[in-house]
Amino acid sequence: MREVVFRVLAERPGHLEAQAETLPIRITAPTLEELQHEAREALIDHLGPAHCTFRVRVRRGPSAAVSSIRPVGRRPAALCR
């Protein structure tokens, strides 16, 4: 499984902004949880069905990734088979 890392560029109360390190994807959200969801959604939009072969991680700084994302229950699991 491949990995896409989103690095947080700006973090203010109610606003997080991140950009994928290896893809031209930039996202914003009010919370870390929603940023993670937006990262997965942006990856689905960018890669289509191939998104299932990627793990999404969010990093706040130069340290290790702080979270890994699993697909949100809104999408049918059949898309990833």
Side-chain angles (χ1 to χ4, degrees), residues 46-63:
H46 187 77
L47 298 173
H51 79 277
C52 294
T53 62
F54 285 84
R55 172 179 289 141
V56 175
R57 295 198 182 262
V58 175
R59 289 190 181 171
R60 284 184 158 156
S63 62

Side-chain angles (χ1 to χ4, degrees), residues 14-73:
H15 178 82
L16 294 167
E17 185 175 336
Q19 182 166 348
E21 291 181 345
T22 57
L23 296 171
I25 301 173
R26 193 174 192 123
I27 56 173
T28 61
T31 66
L32 183 59
E33 182 177 302
E34 290 182 43
L35 187 72
Q36 294 168 343
H37 176 73
E38 289 299 319
R40 175 57 63 189
E41 291 293 316
L43 194 61
I44 290 169
D45 289 343
H46 187 77
L47 298 173
H51 79 277
C52 294
T53 62
F54 285 84
R55 172 179 289 141
V56 175
R57 295 198 182 262
V58 175
R59 289 190 181 171
R60 284 184 158 156
S63 62
V66 295
S67 60
S68 67
I69 312 306
R70 302 288 183 259
V72 176

